[in-house]
Amino acid sequence: MTTEAPIASPDALHWELGGTSRIPFAVYTDQQRHQRELERFFYKGHWCYVGLEAEIPNAGDFKRSVVGERSVIMTRAADGAIHVVENVCAHRGMRFCRKRHGNQTEFVCPYHQWSYAPNGDLQGVPFRRGVRQDGKVNGGMPADFNPKDHALTKLKVAVRGGVVFASFDHEVESLEDYLGPTILQYFDRLFNGRKLTILGYNRQRIPGNWKLMQENIKDPYHPGLLHTWFVTFGLWRADNKSELRMDAHHRHAAMVSTRGSMGQASGQAAQVTQVSSFKAAMELEDKRFLDIVPEPWWQLGEQMPTAVMTTLFPSVIFQQQVNSVSTRHIQPDGHGAFDFVWTHFGFEDDTAEMTERRLRQANLFGPAGFVSADDGEVIEFSQQAFESKPQHRTLAELGGREVGETDHMVTETLIRGMYEYWRKVMEAPEPSVAKEVSP
């Protein structure tokens, strides 16, 4: 007879006060829970970022990317169509593509030379019909072997504004529904149809749980305290005009800020520069780092934000920090580390001066950036503490314990919202599997 047996799941977590304002350290430290996250957030029911169309402009171009911990290849076929296929040979399962970028008309697995078209179709199998020797045919694949049944795993693909998303789940909702109308307006503001150009990459490996980077860019509390550059030069601090927006599920968010004044604040706002990270005497040797030129596309209704940080759960951050624009791809590697890939871009109609400006301002970011170097360190040190005391919890109660949009940055509501969604998905019952038992 057959009965239903639940798939093994991680031990239940204890959430103090029942909400998400106190996050258990074990959220970041358990490998079994991490595997559950990969299945539920990266491989089912979600869209993940894989790259930009501008990275594969020509037929035959490809880029190796990642969805969760699975290697994938983004390709452009001869007809211009974009495909995303898993980087796992259908024969013996080898991860066959090692180059990050390139151009080729086919992919050949070096192990047994099986070859695939850019769309993932199997097109060549050595010795498929055997080898003739001494008047007979030796070996060969079975007579009913059909190459159509042995393509690479093909992901569902969505392209919007030059940005490419993919999903292993072919039943996933549309990308537009996945983003929701609130976040879609910020996405379309940045990716508004102009052709993108690639300016360069930064790559770093951060020894911390992947969710900590999502949290970091949903946390407006820290930039004006941790980052000397931001608070001293007024790019992001608590007295800036700002707002925080979320989708209906609270999984995606946009932190929106308009640059305020530089230097020492006064009056009621004085406390925002009464912090150790503010350096009144700090000056730039190259003043061009603050050569900020407003761009028409910044306009959003009556607003003209100088910074919009958009987090799409689970895999990507879209950054506009004054004239610097980039994508930041989160690539988990176990529960305690992730690779973080920055793609800096501009627009085809940029002047040479604007391109230079974007590149110069990109020095704020990346592994050695004036700002982002701080984030990598605090994530690493946090993970070290979590691992040493997994029974403890973090506190995210600035602005209260509820979840909601705000018109200020003195809050941790976006973090609480993300974990509200995380709990909903992670705590849902596990699908059952059939198990044979003796009568």
Side-chain angles (χ1 to χ4, degrees), residues 11 14 22 45 60 71 76 120 156 164 194 248 319 352 384 388-389 402 411 422-423 427:
D11 294 336
H14 172 60
R22 300 184 181 187
S71 179
R76 190 180 290 273
K156 188 172 183 177
V164 183
R194 287 186 295 164
Q319 166 206 305
Q384 290 172 356
S388 71
K389 196 178 182 182
E402 68 284 346
T411 180
W422 185 93
R423 290 191 66 182
E427 294 174 7

Side-chain angles (χ1 to χ4, degrees), residues 84-261:
V84 178
V85 296
E86 191 171 13
N87 185 16
V88 175
C89 181
H91 179 217
R92 299 294 295 277
M94 179 179 170
R95 184 175 290 180
F96 56 87
C97 180
R98 309 300 297 172
K99 295 179 181 178
R100 284 198 176 117
H101 299 268
N103 181 285
Q104 53 197 58
T105 57
E106 65 178 0
F107 294 96
V108 180
C109 178
Y111 199 176
H112 298 93
Q113 304 290 300
W114 281 35
S115 66
Y116 303 91
N119 69 352
D121 287 346
L122 178 62
Q123 60 184 18
V125 176
F127 311 139
R128 176 185 170 188
R129 293 179 173 82
V131 176
R132 183 173 294 277
Q133 185 178 26
D134 298 330
K136 65 176 183 176
V137 176
N138 297 322
M141 301 300 286
D144 62 354
F145 177 83
N146 187 345
K148 293 181 180 180
D149 297 333
H150 301 281
L152 300 175
T153 298
K154 300 179 181 182
L155 283 70
K156 188 172 183 177
V157 176
V159 182
R160 187 178 178 94
V163 186
V164 183
F165 296 86
S167 180
F168 282 96
D169 184 353
H170 284 256
E171 302 302 316
V172 68
E173 63 189 319
S174 72
L175 177 65
E176 289 71 22
D177 288 344
Y178 180 70
L179 297 179
T182 298
I183 299 303
L184 193 60
Q185 67 175 328
Y186 294 104
F187 180 92
D188 287 345
R189 170 182 173 269
L190 177 57
F191 302 106
N192 61 6
R194 287 186 295 164
K195 191 172 182 179
L196 308 180
T197 56
I198 304 301
L199 302 184
Y201 300 91
N202 292 118
R203 294 178 174 87
Q204 67 185 116
R205 184 172 180 81
I206 299 178
N209 186 271
W210 66 272
K211 296 187 297 299
L212 292 172
M213 185 52 75
Q214 280 278 344
E215 288 183 32
N216 182 269
I217 311 299
K218 295 179 189 286
D219 171 19
Y221 187 17
H222 84 274
L225 298 169
L226 173 66
H227 301 309
T228 291
W229 179 281
F230 275 166
V231 67
T232 301
F233 298 118
L235 292 179
W236 192 291
R237 63 192 201 187
D239 60 339
N240 288 4
K241 184 177 180 181
S242 59
E243 59 182 357
L244 307 181
R245 298 290 177 254
M246 289 178 278
D247 72 312
H249 299 283
H250 301 157
R251 55 189 172 186
H252 314 311
M255 297 198 305
V256 185
S257 177
T258 301
R259 184 190 180 199
S261 59

Side-chain angles (χ1 to χ4, degrees), residues 311-384:
T311 47
L312 299 190
F313 192 84
S315 66
V316 70
I317 297 147
F318 297 127
Q319 166 206 305
Q320 178 231 337
Q321 182 59 253
V322 288
N323 300 116
S324 174
V325 286
S326 68
T327 70
R328 308 182 187 185
H329 190 186
I330 300 169
Q331 304 177 356
D333 186 10
H335 75 269
F338 63 95
D339 293 320
F340 201 37
V341 180
W342 310 64
T343 302
H344 302 280
F345 64 90
F347 302 95
E348 192 174 58
D349 57 1
D350 284 343
T351 64
E353 292 77 15
M354 180 57 77
T355 297
E356 186 69 24
R357 184 176 294 109
R358 296 197 199 284
L359 287 167
R360 189 179 301 113
Q361 291 179 16
N363 283 283
L364 276 69
F365 309 106
F370 300 148
V371 175
S372 298
D374 306 337
D375 294 320
E377 286 197 346
V378 298
I379 287 175
E380 178 180 0
F381 298 153
S382 296
Q383 186 70 28
Q384 290 172 356

